[in-house]
Amino acid sequence: MAEFDVKRVSTLEWAGIGAGILAFIVSFFPWVSIDFGGGVAELSGFETSVSGSAWDAGFLAWFSVLLLVGTAVVVLLPHFGTEVPQRSMIWMVASGVAFLLILLRVLTYDSFLSPGWGLFVALAIALASTVAAFL
């Protein structure tokens, strides 16, 4: 097994690795929220909104996070001595699919649910990973 050398990792590869790490971290922040509208609930001291992470927001959300984490692993593997044929293509397709799944998740919320800020951060992360893979 080859030893990992930080100096041999390119800037674009760091973008792919960082995207996977950041996507995993952001997956625990609010991706979906439900607002109950205040009124009597607010006056009585009850919580008027609830939020959930990517792991609560459905398949489109958590699967896209797993795709980005898997992409980071694919980018890292050659630096540990495991060659990955067509690594750039795998990276670009997986992160592009993650971007499309997150975008679809944003567009499929009904009027009762609203997207949380974590969803938009993850959308930007997936786009950055896709662009880095393309370059």
Side-chain angles (χ1 to χ4, degrees), residues 112-128:
F112 186 63
L113 300 172
S114 61
W117 63 269
L119 187 67
F120 295 109
V121 172
L123 188 66
I125 290 169
L127 180 61

Side-chain angles (χ1 to χ4, degrees), residues 2 20 24 27-28 37 39 41 45 63 76 79-80 83 103 106 112 114 117:
F24 182 72
S27 72
F28 295 103
F63 187 69
L76 266 174
H79 296 284
F80 287 102
E83 284 302 315
L103 184 62
V106 169
F112 186 63
S114 61
W117 63 269

Side-chain angles (χ1 to χ4, degrees), residues 89-112:
M89 184 62 71
I90 294 169
W91 176 12
M92 186 172 64
V93 169
S95 59
V97 168
F99 174 78
L100 291 175
L101 290 177
I102 296 170
L103 184 62
L104 190 59
R105 178 73 269 189
V106 169
L107 298 175
T108 57
Y109 280 128
D110 57 11
S111 61
F112 186 63

Side-chain angles (χ1 to χ4, degrees), residues 4-135:
F4 181 69
D5 185 12
V6 176
K7 296 175 186 171
R8 296 189 61 206
V9 181
S10 73
T11 305
L12 292 176
E13 289 174 329
W14 279 121
I17 296 164
I21 294 168
L22 286 175
F24 182 72
I25 292 169
V26 168
S27 72
F28 295 103
F29 292 110
W31 279 47
V32 61
S33 62
I34 302 170
D35 190 15
F36 297 109
V40 176
E42 189 174 305
L43 292 174
S44 60
F46 291 110
E47 192 70 33
T48 60
S49 67
V50 177
S51 63
S53 67
W55 311 105
D56 303 321
F59 173 78
L60 296 175
W62 62 259
F63 187 69
S64 61
V65 171
L66 292 179
L67 277 174
L68 290 170
V69 170
T71 299
V73 171
V74 167
V75 172
L76 266 174
L77 281 175
H79 296 284
F80 287 102
T82 304
E83 284 302 315
V84 179
Q86 298 184 353
R87 176 177 64 132
S88 297
M89 184 62 71
I90 294 169
W91 176 12
M92 186 172 64
V93 169
S95 59
V97 168
F99 174 78
L100 291 175
L101 290 177
I102 296 170
L103 184 62
L104 190 59
R105 178 73 269 189
V106 169
L107 298 175
T108 57
Y109 280 128
D110 57 11
S111 61
F112 186 63
L113 300 172
S114 61
W117 63 269
L119 187 67
F120 295 109
V121 172
L123 188 66
I125 290 169
L127 180 61
S129 180
T130 305
V131 170
F134 179 75
L135 294 175

